[in-house]
Amino acid sequence: MRLTSSYALLAASLAQAQTQYLVNELSFGHSHRISPEGTQSIPNFSLQGRPNVPELLSDKVILTPVAPGNQRGAVWADKSLQNQNWIADVEFRANGPERAGGNLNIWLVRDGAHVVGSDSVYSAGKFEGLGLVIDQHSGSGGMLRGFLNDGTTDYKNNHNVDSLAFAQCSFTYRNLGRPTQIKLRHTESKFSVEVAGRHCFDTDKVRIPSGYNFGISAASADNPDSFEVFKLAVLTTNETPQQDSNNNGNNNNNNKPRMNFGRSGQSAIEDPYDNVIPDQEAEKITSSKEQFADLHNRLQSINHHLSTIFRSIGQNAGVGEQRHSELSSMVGELRSLMGRLEKVDVMEGRLRDIETEMRGLRTEMAGRLRDSENAIKYHVNDKHESLAENVKSHAKSGHNRLLWVVIGSQLVLVAGFTYYKRKKTSPKKYL
């Protein structure tokens, strides 16, 4: 009878916990269209971007386009969240080339549209609230990290923003061809994050007060990733917003997001193995009620640990799949490089063959040139000797004739000159 009543109470509590209400003023993408037909705006939301405003389609918001790079875009809720128990469901998709980069930021920040705008966690200043960053941190295939700020830390001028993360988990999100779901849960006792239906992290050290605005921003690198947001749905367990009537009486520290810190100064993340039930002696359990309660608690503890183990296995499987895909891509690149090396070896063999052929051709050409030179010398010497003999034979008779011609012409001149002189000196006869 007691067991039946306990299960009935448990079922009633689960049914009550599953009663959730959609906050239309803080949600988009849960219906067929994001924006009303014929308009280029999202009701109750504002779009921001540098240098261009994000592109709004009927079923998604493109915060950063495929090209060009170095773009920033954001979508912010105009109204603030007034509940302590809430669930935020975000669906996004990232596409880009192999070595592209960028990040997606999910915000819950006071006056986020003016304080953060289209910045990322690396370029935001002294914001007050929560920021979840999705990127390829430290060369990983994908990682989600949580950051919390009470308005005193200037993230923009911090030299090591990565060290400020209070929790993280790895997952694959790029070029999946389908949207990836990020689910945030906040209650008065716990804050948790799920990725694609798998546990990412949870902690009971984080408290986020009401009055903060939801927003989603994205930034792309020189080689850009395209970030597309399909949905932001905010659900609460109350049909009407929960108004905090004691806000005016609280001090400023209670109205800011806070986290309990350990001795080292780092955020104390909940360890799933810290809630181990201590052993008790059997003599201390005297009633069946205590025995049932002890058994119930231990079964719950075992169930929690098994769930943690299964989640760890699932995360390891996701990391293994990611490593496998990275290894496959590296193997593909190695194969392409090996193919190029094989082509280089073939080219070297061809160059060696060409070098051998050139050497043989040079030797053959040198031999032919020597043969041609010897043949030319032989023919020239033969012709020269015959020509010299002909010249000698012709020149010998020609010289004698020329000598007699010269002597004869001289004799004729002398005879003529003598006759002239005699005629000139002879006496003249006058009539």
Side-chain angles (χ1 to χ4, degrees):
M1 184 67 181
R2 292 179 180 176
L3 184 61
T4 305
S5 60
S6 298
Y7 278 124
L9 181 60
L10 180 61
S13 61
L14 289 175
Q16 183 179 2
Q18 291 175 355
T19 303
Q20 300 171 355
Y21 300 93
L22 179 68
V23 184
N24 291 315
E25 294 81 3
L26 305 179
S27 305
F28 67 85
H30 52 85
S31 60
H32 298 290
R33 296 181 61 91
I34 292 181
S35 61
E37 190 172 0
T39 63
Q40 287 295 319
S41 62
I42 304 176
N44 303 310
F45 283 85
S46 60
L47 297 175
Q48 300 182 18
R50 297 198 308 266
N52 301 317
V53 179
E55 183 179 0
L56 177 60
L57 302 180
S58 61
D59 61 339
K60 61 184 177 181
V61 181
I62 303 177
L63 296 180
T64 57
V66 178
N70 296 317
Q71 300 287 314
R72 296 179 182 271
V75 53
W76 282 95
D78 297 332
K79 298 183 179 180
S80 60
L81 177 64
Q82 299 297 329
N83 300 84
Q84 283 293 312
N85 300 325
W86 50 265
I87 297 175
D89 188 1
V90 178
E91 290 185 0
F92 77 97
R93 183 171 62 188
N95 299 310
E98 181 179 357
R99 301 185 182 277
N103 57 63
L104 182 76
N105 305 264
I106 303 175
W107 302 95
L108 182 57
V109 177
R110 183 182 297 278
D111 196 18
H114 299 91
V115 175
V116 176
S118 58
D119 289 327
S120 66
V121 72
Y122 296 101
S123 58
K126 296 182 179 181
F127 66 90
E128 181 181 324
L130 171 72
L132 299 182
V133 181
I134 301 167
D135 59 5
Q136 302 179 79
H137 175 61
S138 298
S140 63
M143 183 174 291
L144 184 147
R145 292 173 293 155
F147 296 86
L148 202 68
N149 193 2
D150 59 359
T152 59
T153 303
D154 189 354
Y155 274 51
K156 183 178 181 179
N157 296 319
N158 192 288
H159 299 291
N160 192 7
V161 175
D162 297 327
S163 63
L164 302 178
F166 67 86
Q168 66 183 31
C169 68
S170 300
F171 71 104
T172 302
Y173 69 92
R174 297 183 67 252
N175 298 325
L176 299 179
R178 53 175 173 77
T180 300
Q181 182 188 47
I182 306 294
K183 184 172 288 187
L184 292 69
R185 297 177 184 268
H186 184 272
T187 64
E188 296 177 354
S189 60
K190 190 176 183 181
F191 174 72
S192 63
V193 176
E194 296 179 4
V195 177
R198 298 178 179 178
H199 175 267
C200 180
F201 67 84
D202 58 74
T203 177
D204 59 357
K205 305 300 188 294
V206 173
R207 296 291 181 274
I208 304 175
S210 59
Y212 287 30
N213 299 84
F214 273 108
I216 304 174
S217 67
S220 62
D222 293 333
N223 196 13
D225 264 336
S226 175
F227 287 97
E228 305 169 346
V229 178
F230 295 86
K231 182 176 72 172
L232 169 61
V234 180
L235 302 94
T236 65
T237 57
N238 298 327
E239 187 174 4
T240 57
Q242 178 182 351
Q243 302 292 339
D244 189 358
S245 60
N246 298 324
N247 280 346
N248 296 330
N250 294 338
N251 54 25
N252 293 331
N253 293 329
N254 292 332
N255 292 329
K256 292 184 178 182
R258 64 184 186 274
M259 170 176 288
N260 297 332
F261 292 92
R263 295 181 181 177
S264 63
Q266 299 296 329
S267 57
I269 304 302
E270 180 181 2
D271 188 354
Y273 298 102
D274 284 344
N275 58 352
V276 177
I277 300 175
D279 295 334
Q280 293 184 5
E281 296 181 1
E283 291 79 6
K284 293 183 179 181
I285 303 176
T286 57
S287 64
S288 59
K289 182 176 181 181
E290 292 179 355
Q291 184 180 5
F292 174 78
D294 182 72
L295 180 61
H296 175 73
N297 293 334
R298 293 186 183 278
L299 287 175
Q300 279 189 341
S301 178
I302 293 172
N303 187 30
H304 293 164
H305 286 84
L306 288 176
S307 299
T308 303
I309 292 172
F310 288 146
R311 286 193 295 266
S312 299
I313 293 174
Q315 291 178 359
N316 292 333
V319 174
E321 182 181 356
Q322 172 188 339
R323 296 291 185 266
H324 176 71
S325 61
E326 293 177 355
L327 183 60
S328 299
S329 62
M330 292 175 64
V331 170
E333 293 179 357
L334 184 60
R335 287 179 178 175
S336 62
L337 292 176
M338 291 298 294
R340 294 178 183 177
L341 290 177
E342 291 178 357
K343 293 181 179 179
V344 171
D345 293 338
V346 173
M347 291 296 296
E348 289 181 354
R350 292 181 179 178
L351 289 175
R352 285 194 294 269
D353 295 339
I354 294 173
E355 183 180 2
T356 304
E357 292 179 0
M358 291 297 294
R359 288 179 179 176
L361 183 61
R362 184 177 63 182
T363 303
E364 183 179 358
M365 289 296 296
R368 291 187 177 182
L369 286 174
R370 284 194 298 270
D371 295 340
S372 299
E373 183 180 1
N374 294 332
I376 292 172
K377 287 182 178 179
Y378 173 76
H379 289 290
V380 169
N381 291 333
D382 186 25
K383 296 296 182 181
H384 180 72
E385 291 177 357
S386 60
L387 182 61
E389 292 177 355
N390 293 330
V391 169
K392 284 182 180 181
S393 60
H394 290 85
K396 185 176 181 180
S397 59
H399 288 166
N400 294 329
R401 292 176 183 178
L402 181 60
L403 183 61
W404 286 112
V405 169
V406 172
I407 293 174
S409 60
Q410 293 295 327
L411 293 175
V412 171
L413 289 174
V414 170
F417 181 72
T418 302
Y419 176 76
Y420 172 74
K421 292 295 287 181
R422 287 179 179 180
K423 281 295 273 186
K424 186 176 180 182
T425 57
S426 62
K428 297 181 180 179
K429 296 180 179 182
Y430 298 97
L431 296 178

